[in-house]
Amino acid sequence: MSYINELLNYIDSASIEILLELLLVTTCISTIIYLVTKNQYISYLSSAPIFYFLSLKFNHNSHFMLLILAMTVQASVILFIQKKDLLKVITAKEQSSRQYLK
């Protein structure tokens, strides 16, 4: 319960914009890492330290729940990218099977 109380004291109207920007930058950097390495685990696990260091640099503070939020956002982005790639593969297979049947 103390985590939630501390988090509520940490987040005010002025810091919400900074936190959203930090989440966006963290997601962008982690997504670039995913696209370069094609390793979802490195991208997912790198999102927490990236958010932590950016938060310490720009906001001079961080919180455990926000680290979990950054990792959750990155996991969602990775799943979205993988779903998009899978749909491309399925479409290509359908088109090749249609051409094969002709």
Side-chain angles (χ1 to χ4, degrees):
M1 193 66 176
S2 65
Y3 277 130
I4 295 172
N5 290 334
E6 184 180 325
L7 182 63
L8 291 175
N9 291 334
Y10 175 71
I11 296 177
D12 59 353
S13 61
S15 67
I16 289 177
E17 181 179 338
I18 294 171
L19 291 174
L20 290 176
E21 288 179 14
L22 287 174
L23 280 173
L24 178 66
V25 170
T26 301
T27 303
C28 290
I29 293 172
S30 295
T31 303
I32 291 170
I33 290 172
Y34 173 71
L35 294 174
V36 170
T37 63
K38 295 294 181 188
N39 191 335
Q40 66 185 9
Y41 302 110
I42 291 174
S43 174
Y44 174 70
L45 293 175
S46 70
S47 62
I50 291 171
F51 181 82
Y52 179 75
F53 289 120
L54 287 175
S55 181
L56 285 180
K57 182 175 180 175
F58 295 112
N59 206 15
H60 305 293
N61 202 350
S62 186
H63 196 276
F64 180 69
M65 294 296 200
L66 296 173
L67 295 175
I68 292 175
L69 178 65
M71 293 177 76
T72 304
V73 168
Q74 184 57 31
S76 302
V77 168
I78 291 172
L79 289 174
F80 178 75
I81 292 171
Q82 288 178 343
K83 181 181 176 183
K84 188 176 175 184
D85 290 342
L86 182 63
L87 288 175
K88 285 181 184 178
V89 169
I90 290 173
T91 305
K93 284 184 180 181
E94 287 177 358
Q95 289 176 352
S96 65
S97 66
R98 287 180 188 164
Q99 290 177 353
Y100 180 72
L101 292 175
K102 288 182 180 181

